[in-house]
Amino acid sequence: MSTTTSKQIGVLGTGQVSTVLANGFLKHGHAVRRASRDTAKLDEWLAIATSAAVSSAAAAGDRASTGTLADTAAWADILVLAVKGSAAESALDQCGHANLAGKIIIDPTNPIADGPPDHGVVRYFTGPNESLMERLQAHVPAARFVKAFNSVGNAHMVNPQFAGGPPTMFICGNDAPAKAEVTALLDQLGWHTEDMGTVHAARAIEPLCQLWCIPGFAGKGWSHAFKLLR
């Protein structure tokens, strides 16, 4: 296990991305609190997590908990916004902007619109010269957003294993120390990280989700990831 200092990581949401990342952070020795508007949705996960079934580390149960969005935002060192892109602003509001001030927020969201893909291309509710991450950073300007985990399936988010070696996680954000902390977490989770610059780079990173999905919709499977070569 990495020697990265243990963090208190709040994971917002109840879906598969939230579950996989919460379990991954527990596995690597962090304290994890998952948050939902309805915490009863997380009861089954908490029962498993407190039995240490998701972690080989000792006393994993002592590091797993659940709470409201506001409780979790106040408690966490780092937050993961693992909710639908269309619900992201509402989730941040329920956290309380004061609780988010100065906090690192890992942003895996994509601006996926309602409706089916168009010829195998996921529809977005943003345009080519904007991104959801820019909207979120403007919505909570005191938070320190870092885009990550938006362009790979949840099955490969934690310690991905590919014949070509570690895949590349493209990140961006306005705060260099925040990106450094997220990079340390990504190192633990088995990724090679490429910092693409400020929040504006999310205009290019978020569409990688559309590209990632195309082979899956074409029947070529979902077990792939991106890698930057030099």
Side-chain angles (χ1 to χ4, degrees), residues 17 84 91 164 202 214:
V17 171
K84 289 178 59 176
I214 288 172

Side-chain angles (χ1 to χ4, degrees), residues 34-228:
R34 291 185 70 188
S36 172
R37 298 176 180 90
D38 178 5
T39 56
K41 293 181 178 180
L42 297 169
D43 286 349
E44 182 178 358
W45 172 83
L46 185 61
I48 295 171
T50 53
S51 72
V54 300
S55 177
S56 60
D62 295 339
R63 295 184 279 103
S65 61
T66 61
T68 67
L69 276 73
D71 291 341
T72 301
W75 169 85
D77 300 316
I78 297 172
L79 290 164
V80 182
L81 186 60
V83 300
K84 289 178 59 176
S86 58
E89 287 192 11
S90 175
L92 293 172
D93 290 342
Q94 292 188 53
C95 286
H97 288 214
N99 291 330
L100 300 176
K103 295 291 177 73
I104 296 172
I105 301 179
I106 298 174
D107 173 23
T109 65
N110 288 302
I112 297 174
D114 293 334
D118 180 10
H119 295 86
V121 181
V122 173
R123 299 173 188 264
Y124 275 9
F125 57 74
T126 51
N129 296 314
E130 61 173 336
S131 67
L132 178 56
M133 184 185 178
E134 288 173 277
R135 294 186 187 184
L136 300 179
Q137 182 65 82
H139 191 65
V140 191
R144 304 154 70 199
F145 283 85
V146 179
K147 176 65 71 177
F149 296 111
N150 75 297
S151 57
V152 69
N154 64 73
H156 299 288
M157 287 182 172
V158 176
N159 299 111
Q161 301 295 315
F162 290 96
T168 302
M169 183 67 71
F170 298 98
I171 69 169
C172 69
N174 291 338
D175 189 285
K179 289 189 286 186
E181 287 205 43
V182 173
T183 297
L185 291 175
L186 289 167
D187 287 346
Q188 275 192 321
L189 271 57
W191 286 89
H192 167 71
T193 303
E194 284 287 340
D195 181 356
M196 305 308 287
T198 67
V199 65
H200 306 89
R203 300 176 193 180
I205 295 174
E206 287 178 0
L208 290 176
C209 171
Q210 294 174 304
L211 184 63
W212 185 87
C213 288
I214 288 172
F217 290 134
K220 298 178 181 179
W222 302 91
S223 295
H224 51 272
F226 296 112
K227 188 174 182 68
L228 181 66

